[in-house]
Amino acid sequence: MSLLKFLRRYGTLTGFVLILIFFSFRLPDTFLTAQNWLNITQQLSMLMVVASGMTIVMVMGDFDLSVGSIASLSGIVAAILFSLGYPIWLALGLALLAGLVGGLINGALVSFVGILPFVATLATLTIFSGAAFVISGGKTISGRAIPEAFGQFARDGIALGPVTLPNLTIVAVLVVGLVWVLLEQTTFGRRLYAIGGNVEAAYLSGVPVRRLKLIAFSLTGLSAAGAGLLYASRVASANPTQGSGLMLNAIAAVFLGVTMSEQGEPRILATVIGVLILGVLDNGLTQMSVDSYVRQILVGAIIVIAVSASSITKSNRR
């Protein structure tokens, strides 16, 4: 295997290993500890859930810009219902339903109305964001309005010897597992990959393209709502902007995963590596007291590199 081919196939994974080595030397006392890595998985749980849902639509060659707004809106819906005295299970169910409906709207606009995903989800991004501000009055909902059991969920976990596996990490792993089964082990997943490969050929071969796109966007909206609830549980509050950074990072994570696929297709396990790269980078730079704006620049650069590598790989296959 030539060096160029090796870099195309394993460049992202090699970069991840180099990041690990760099922070291991710069932060020898804290970076490789079990507690730090448990903290990383907990911090990444929301992004992992959103990126898993984003993988579903990006398999088809589409994407969803509204996931951050849906996450914020769902957290606000749950908090408002908590403050009105609704039981936790009902408030969470209705918040997840709000995310599902948001995804359905996106899917309908893309698959039945025929609006491009970028335009459709950019529009709904502003709609859902505005709705979160209207419902909440532009304020953070916290304090007694949030049930103790809801906030405690994020602080609890399952004891594994000397360490405790956080509940948020467990939820993220379960979501990744479900998406892996859906995309890799079912006819539904294979049809989504067929749509991503050639939508016209998939349509002519009898694949119900519109219905599948509708379902895919709905699942993405549901995952975004789940991430919003995880975040609200972690901080025991909800505000209309808490999901604002999820969309960019989710797309970046999926594109990083794409660079590790031989076919240049999104794969959920590769997306997990992409999420870990972003999380480890953020964790290490935070410990080194690097300014948050510098971290944003690095994330943007990572997206450019990932997209460029993916495009080059696809061009060379043609």
Side-chain angles (χ1 to χ4, degrees):
M1 180 183 294
S2 67
L3 178 60
L4 185 58
K5 288 184 178 180
F6 177 85
L7 290 176
R8 287 177 189 155
R9 182 71 178 88
Y10 301 107
T12 301
L13 197 57
T14 302
F16 182 41
V17 173
L18 292 175
I19 290 172
L20 294 177
I21 294 173
F22 173 76
F23 287 130
S24 298
F25 278 102
R26 289 299 303 268
L27 305 164
D29 298 326
T30 57
F31 182 70
L32 290 180
T33 63
Q35 187 58 52
N36 185 54
W37 278 88
L38 286 174
N39 289 338
I40 289 174
T41 62
Q42 187 176 36
Q43 292 163 2
L44 289 178
S45 57
M46 290 72 71
L47 177 57
M48 191 73 76
V49 171
V50 172
S52 297
M54 186 70 77
T55 302
I56 297 174
V57 293
M58 290 185 69
V59 159
M60 303 182 299
D62 296 331
F63 50 88
D64 187 347
L65 299 179
S66 70
V67 289
S69 294
I70 290 178
S72 298
L73 178 60
S74 298
I76 290 294
V77 168
I80 291 292
L81 294 176
F82 289 150
S83 67
L84 294 176
Y86 280 67
I88 293 177
W89 67 268
L90 182 57
L92 296 183
L94 292 175
L96 290 173
L97 179 61
L100 183 65
V101 171
L104 276 171
I105 293 172
N106 288 334
L109 291 175
V110 172
S111 58
F112 289 96
V113 180
I115 303 175
L116 292 175
F118 176 85
V119 177
T121 58
L122 179 62
T124 55
L125 178 157
T126 58
I127 292 172
F128 299 146
S129 178
F133 273 95
V134 169
I135 294 172
S136 66
K139 300 177 181 178
T140 297
I141 303 172
S142 59
R144 294 183 179 179
I146 308 298
E148 177 63 26
F150 179 67
Q152 188 64 37
F153 176 80
R155 297 190 291 270
D156 287 342
I158 297 176
L160 298 175
V163 298
T164 300
L165 188 63
N167 283 334
L168 297 185
T169 301
I170 295 171
V171 172
V173 170
L174 290 175
V175 171
V176 168
L178 288 173
V179 174
W180 179 81
V181 171
L182 183 70
L183 292 180
E184 305 291 343
Q185 305 296 319
T186 67
T187 301
F188 174 79
R190 288 190 289 273
R191 287 178 172 178
L192 292 189
Y193 277 108
I195 293 172
N198 189 321
V199 64
E200 291 297 330
Y203 178 79
L204 292 174
S205 64
V207 174
V209 174
R210 289 182 175 177
R211 179 162 59 87
L212 291 178
K213 285 198 172 193
L214 184 67
I215 295 173
F217 274 96
S218 301
L219 293 175
T220 301
L222 182 62
S223 72
L229 294 177
L230 292 180
Y231 190 92
S233 175
R234 186 182 173 204
V235 299
S237 64
N239 70 74
T241 62
Q242 64 187 17
S244 59
L246 288 173
M247 178 270 290
L248 176 65
N249 287 335
I251 293 176
V254 178
F255 271 123
L256 283 171
V258 166
T259 65
M260 290 181 279
S261 170
E262 286 188 33
Q263 294 78 28
E265 297 172 328
R267 297 285 175 179
I268 183 59
L269 296 183
T271 295
V272 170
I273 300 298
V275 171
L276 287 175
I277 290 173
L278 296 177
V280 168
L281 188 65
D282 188 65
N283 177 268
L285 293 175
T286 299
Q287 290 190 53
M288 292 172 60
S289 300
V290 175
D291 191 275
S292 62
Y293 296 111
V294 176
R295 299 202 299 272
Q296 290 179 4
I297 292 172
L298 290 174
V299 170
I302 286 173
I303 294 174
V304 172
I305 293 170
V307 173
S308 299
S310 178
S311 299
I312 292 171
T313 302
K314 288 183 178 180
S315 298
N316 287 336
R317 285 198 194 98
R318 290 173 179 157

